[in-house]
Amino acid sequence: MTNHSPTARRIAKTILNGFDAYFADYQNITLGAKARFETAAWQGVHQANRERIDLYKIKANQVLKLVRSVTSKDTSMLELWRDARATYAQLIANHSNYEIAETFFNSVFCSQFQHEHIHDSNIFVKPSRTPDDKPLRDYSIYISYSGKHGLECMIEDILNDYGFSVPWENLPRDIEHICTALRATPLAGLDHEKNLRVDMLESVFYRNKAAYLVGRMMFGGEVIPLILPCLNNGRGGIFVDTVLYDNDSTSIIFSFTRSYFMVDAPIPSRFVRFLSTIMPLKERSELYNSIGFHKHGKTEFYRHILSHMKVSNDKFVIAPGIKGMVMSVFTLPSYPVVFKVIKDRFDRPKTVTEDIVREKYKFVSRSDRVGRMADTQEYTNFIFYRNRFSEELLAELRELAPSKLVIDDKWVIIKHLYVERRMEPLNLYLLHASAEETREAMEEYGNAIKQLAAANIFPGDMLLKNFGVTRHGRVVFYDYDELCPLTECNFRKIPEPQTAEQELADRPWYTVAEADVFPEEFRLFFSGNPIARKAFEDEHSDLYDYRFWRRLQERIRAGHIESAFPYRRAWRFKRRAAKG
């Protein structure tokens, strides 16, 4: 082992102790999810989510203060941190969560140096060792079940093994539902059910008002997802709401548009590897995000895009679509994300400030996104190769956000940006959509607005260009500079004009306060697209009525939390009695 200075060893040990303390507190918040689900403590669910998200920054800042207290040396010396990084790599060599510990070191370093000096000699830009790829059969995170005694017996064993403290509402009925659904589709081609093996993760995935039992079915060389969403009936009983087994539905459950799961994952990397077997198209960064380790998800994303840059040669370009008033948005055609940079000056009539925009994005990160808002990662001093930028994009950034740029012959450094999954803007999607696709998109658009509203989120600017269409055809909101809590809005009906002059006036003749919203004006969002407007009004004309919004506000203020189903309501089992 290489000798390192005593100061470097103290710094490295302090950071590692801080990481272990953070991880323990993180796990304790997570472990409370079971009791919150069983007691239907839905307000507590949202509070715990916010606490867990905020915990990381709190702990990283505490550790930096401790680092400064364990040495009399100047902690702004890079040589000291290089030595500490090398020591830290040795300390975590056999740590079961070394990769997340690396990210924690990076965070403390970046707090010290305001996200400057990003280099692998100072922090862990690259992982300190190759990821552990032992076969999953060596792990103890799941239980395997055999179909040798029949499908019904296997499903009963699975449900009973999870050991909820609250009884099942009707276990025979749920078993019958699950077996009927599985035999109808995924197991229809199975020669004999005795050949079926099912691996179920021991830990339950909690989110919103549901508990998800997650596993995989294996037969004939195939690996098929098996997801059992369970709900609490609020009267002391749990029931299985449906069964999901196709790749698209599984991907949507773990979507970037949803809040992070609470799942007891003492070694997250093992869970990520298991989940990769049922969602092979999802990047590791997305899977880490989905189980709550979004800071390490940022690290994984950064590493992945660096590796992608080495095997691609296309250039970053201005993102297609109507240009925003607040953000300059660009993308790499061969990579499925967009980069958003806040402009130095906003186009009129926008009156928000940069600080307000940042607060809006922070608000989204701590909110229940209910499958209708894109998760966004925030980066400081993101480094790009200059020769990968189109001249048109560089010209736009220099014009619109010069204070965010550092450019030399080799690098483009953007001091602050957001990274988001790329989607096709809804207004562009409708240009080539068929009549049926338009109808489905407008139904989705209205559903998105209603589900956000039920989660106490008002988009503010509901223009079609501010919504995107995912590869699964879901409509998602992604422009956050004007959103606010629904309960802060004052929904009003437009007063009837009292005179001919008022009726013909080109400006409102009535007073309009800052928080006033007139739902009747939402029809203007469809100007120039009568087909889309007709499709929307066939399904969602109630959104034009101020009373719809006020009723929602009353429910939210009364403490009601809506269920957010990440699957079609038509797929839910009918809760009738079981046969016999």
Side-chain angles (χ1 to χ4, degrees), residues 8 109 123 130 217 253 279 289 406 420 430 481 497 555-556:
F109 177 93
I123 63 171
T130 304
M217 298 179 284
I253 293 284
M279 291 175 283
N289 289 343
V406 177
E420 218 171 74
L430 292 174
D481 55 87
R555 287 170 63 83
I556 292 167

Side-chain angles (χ1 to χ4, degrees), residues 419-438:
V419 178
E420 218 171 74
R421 173 64 70 85
R422 186 172 66 220
M423 292 171 274
E424 184 173 14
L426 180 55
N427 61 310
L428 298 186
Y429 176 85
L430 292 174
L431 293 178
H432 61 77
S434 66
E436 179 62 19
E437 288 170 336
T438 297

